[in-house]
Amino acid sequence: MQAHGKCNHQTLSATPCYVEEVKRLFAVINNPKHRRILKIIYGGGLLLSEVTNLRIANIHLDRLQVFVKGGKGKKERYTTLSERFLAELR
């Protein structure tokens, strides 16, 4: 973390992950449930709080979309669901 200007707030510098790094991350996770949670966070751009509020009824398999409730600012939105992830869910 690095200090931001003159204020006391600290910010995190986000470093992008490369495809191979992400593949290695998913490969070392043995628990299928945990792997699916990380994949939906990564693939759908969800926050951890959004995933904890996610319900089965929010996943629209026919449209390949996930309805996300209670995100930043308590807003609702849709995000995409990949074909590969859908195959893993089934």
Side-chain angles (χ1 to χ4, degrees):
M1 286 199 265
Q2 66 187 122
H4 187 292
K6 293 183 181 180
C7 66
N8 293 327
H9 300 294
Q10 294 181 347
T11 59
L12 295 174
S13 298
T15 305
C17 292
Y18 295 99
V19 175
E20 290 304 315
E21 291 176 318
V22 174
K23 285 181 181 178
R24 281 194 312 239
L25 172 68
F26 293 147
V28 297
I29 300 170
N30 296 323
N31 186 319
K33 178 177 142 184
H34 296 162
R35 187 173 37 256
R36 288 180 189 127
I37 289 170
L38 281 178
K39 283 186 175 185
I40 201 163
I41 287 172
Y42 179 76
L46 274 68
L47 301 170
L48 185 57
S49 61
E50 293 172 334
V51 172
T52 57
N53 293 326
L54 195 60
R55 301 291 175 254
I56 292 174
N58 299 121
I59 300 174
H60 302 285
L61 300 176
D62 54 333
R63 297 184 299 191
L64 294 175
Q65 290 184 326
V66 178
F67 181 64
V68 182
K69 289 182 178 180
K72 278 187 172 180
K74 303 294 181 203
K75 294 180 183 177
E76 298 175 345
R77 64 186 173 96
Y78 280 96
T79 187
T80 58
L81 188 64
S82 75
E83 291 277 351
R84 273 200 259 163
F85 183 70
L86 178 62
E88 190 172 324
L89 281 178
R90 294 179 176 175

